[in-house]
Amino acid sequence: MKTSKQINSVQFLFIIFQTQVGVGILSLPATLYSTAEKDGWIAIILAGVGFQAVIFILYFLSKRFSTLSLYEYAPKIMGRWIGTMISIGYILFAGLTAILVLQLYQISIKTWILPKTPSIVVLFLLSISGAYLVSGRVKVLGRFNQFVTILVVPLIVMLLLTLKYSDIRYILPIAENGLRPILKATPEGFFSMIGFEMALFVFPYLQNKGKEALVSLTLSNVAVTCFYCLITIATYVYFSPKQFETIPDPTVYMLKGISFLTVDRIDLIFLSIWTVSVLTSFGSYLYISSEGVKTLTKRKRATWPIIITTFLILTISLVPHDMFTIETLSNFHATASYFFVFGLPLLLLIISTIRKTELKDKPQ
């Protein structure tokens, strides 16, 4: 692996972090509330704990093939044909994720900022930006994600400002309805926090593949869990239970009600910064999908795989979708996430361990 293409542990951390933080910021609190009510924030913590187990699986699997991506070592573990099917599965899963990101993004943008702007304009701009970002490959992706992560700070500041108008009694008593609703809502937190699978495809570009990589993955998990918890708790203590039942995007509604002498629409600032997080998340899944096409077609350069993948994702996203179709795709994607984020990596790790399959000439 050429040094010029490598990323350090900090860039690796921010790639994973930015892949996880995306569209779910706006709707997650309401989704969790519909199942666990005011205890939805506990479900996020449980999801974070569960993700730590997934992190160990992804780390030990990637470390066995430290200079190869999943597209390259899947055939070594499962054989050529099954390995190819696994690669195609990840290409389609990443493509579906990118499509859902585009769809949910354009719905939010048309609802809150640009109601009269054609969907094709919103989708095209984000798609082209994502393709341009990915064209720089992992090194540029790591640097960009590291740079824009500073924008999370003003998001946190905005959320903290809302606590001035909050009432802690809205989330008390804790776990009033027992653990069952919380456990039922935990998968919702899991789906909103997926992104760790990106490690399977950028690990070979990591300079230090030792404990620093595991620490980076763990820190990303802790940071995302805390960030999503802050968003959820902030909305729960801001709105009364009756208000929450009628609000689809509580994060935006909450910020919409706050203004300052010099800033009247703080929610627009929030959404503008949130767009960058959506771009990085979309770019990561576009990278996974295009990298798979590049590997399967055995091309040395990624230009055409990126162009083709972006075109297909954009074209499918432009097909008219009603909310029922998007919800159906989201449910299917949620089910597929179990398999591609947890189940399949675990299976590959077990089989490679039993067969003692690993990269023989691993770097020290």
Side-chain angles (χ1 to χ4, degrees):
M1 189 65 61
K2 294 182 178 179
T3 305
S4 60
K5 295 182 179 180
Q6 291 183 327
I7 57 174
N8 57 41
S9 298
V10 175
Q11 292 169 336
F12 179 61
L13 186 158
F14 289 126
I15 286 177
I16 304 300
F17 177 82
Q18 287 291 349
T19 303
Q20 291 182 268
V21 177
V23 183
I25 292 177
L26 304 186
S27 59
L28 179 61
T31 303
L32 293 175
Y33 193 89
S34 64
T35 305
E37 296 185 354
K38 56 186 173 57
D39 296 318
W41 61 275
I42 303 178
I44 296 178
I45 297 177
L46 294 180
V49 173
F51 254 126
Q52 192 59 39
V54 178
I55 286 173
F56 283 111
I57 294 172
L58 300 181
Y59 171 73
F60 288 117
L61 175 60
S62 298
K63 193 175 181 182
R64 293 183 71 88
F65 307 91
S66 55
T67 60
L68 303 176
S69 71
L70 181 139
Y71 294 127
E72 296 169 308
Y73 62 71
K76 295 179 179 292
I77 299 174
M78 305 297 293
R80 178 183 175 185
W81 294 107
I82 297 179
T84 301
M85 294 302 296
I86 290 174
S87 297
I88 293 174
Y90 271 99
I91 291 172
L92 295 177
F93 172 73
L96 175 60
T97 307
I99 290 170
L100 287 174
V101 169
L102 285 180
Q103 283 293 318
L104 296 174
Y105 172 73
Q106 69 97 9
I107 290 174
S108 298
I109 289 297
K110 287 181 68 66
T111 300
W112 294 106
I113 302 180
L114 305 170
K116 296 184 179 180
T117 302
S119 297
I120 186 174
V121 176
V122 177
L123 295 175
F124 179 78
L125 290 175
L126 186 66
S127 298
I128 294 301
S129 300
Y132 182 72
L133 174 62
V134 174
S135 66
R137 313 311 292 153
V138 177
K139 187 73 172 181
V140 173
L141 191 63
R143 288 176 173 175
F144 181 79
N145 287 353
Q146 181 179 2
F147 176 74
V148 300
T149 299
I150 191 65
L151 295 176
V152 173
V153 175
L155 294 183
I156 294 175
V157 172
M158 293 179 201
L159 293 171
L160 293 177
L161 289 174
T162 65
L163 297 180
K164 177 182 178 181
Y165 309 96
S166 65
D167 189 340
I168 191 66
R169 292 174 297 178
Y170 288 155
I171 62 171
L172 297 177
I174 297 175
E176 181 182 17
N177 299 318
L179 289 176
R180 187 174 181 179
I182 298 174
L183 294 175
K184 188 177 179 180
T186 300
E188 298 293 343
F190 179 88
F191 304 142
S192 297
M193 295 166 63
I194 64 170
F196 284 109
E197 66 274 20
M198 184 68 174
L200 298 172
F201 307 95
V202 300
F203 197 86
Y205 298 95
L206 189 58
Q207 290 175 357
N208 194 325
K209 307 174 194 296
K211 293 182 179 179
E212 288 83 355
L214 182 59
V215 170
S216 294
L217 289 169
T218 301
L219 288 176
S220 177
N221 183 35
V222 172
V224 172
T225 301
C226 292
F227 184 52
Y228 273 42
C229 258
L230 173 61
I231 293 173
T232 305
I233 292 175
T235 56
Y236 284 4
V237 297
Y238 186 86
F239 298 106
S240 68
K242 290 185 177 180
Q243 288 177 317
F244 218 97
E245 294 174 358
T246 60
I247 298 175
D249 294 328
T251 307
V252 184
Y253 269 103
M254 176 178 65
L255 295 172
K256 190 178 178 65
I258 299 176
S259 61
F260 300 97
L261 185 62
T262 56
V263 181
D264 186 51
R265 294 290 303 276
I266 192 174
D267 58 305
L268 295 182
I269 299 177
F270 183 92
L271 289 170
S272 299
I273 298 175
W274 166 75
T275 297
V276 178
S277 294
V278 175
L279 170 62
T280 54
S281 182
F282 172 77
S284 292
Y285 286 105
L286 179 60
Y287 171 82
I288 294 175
S289 188
S290 62
E291 185 69 11
V293 174
K294 171 177 172 284
T295 302
L296 291 184
T297 56
K298 298 181 180 180
R299 299 185 68 90
K300 293 183 178 180
R301 298 179 63 86
T303 304
W304 278 108
I306 292 174
I307 293 174
I308 293 172
T309 305
T310 304
F311 176 77
L312 290 175
I313 290 173
L314 177 60
T315 301
I316 297 174
S317 299
L318 288 174
V319 176
H321 294 96
D322 55 21
M323 287 305 298
F324 175 77
T325 303
I326 295 176
E327 185 175 348
T328 302
L329 287 175
S330 297
N331 292 335
F332 174 77
H333 176 265
T335 303
S337 297
Y338 281 119
F339 182 70
F340 288 103
V341 178
F342 174 71
L344 195 50
L346 177 60
L347 178 63
L348 292 174
L349 178 60
I350 292 174
I351 294 178
S352 64
T353 302
I354 294 174
R355 293 182 175 179
K356 297 182 180 180
T357 305
E358 62 180 327
L359 191 64
K360 300 301 181 183
D361 301 322
K362 293 191 291 184
Q364 301 297 322

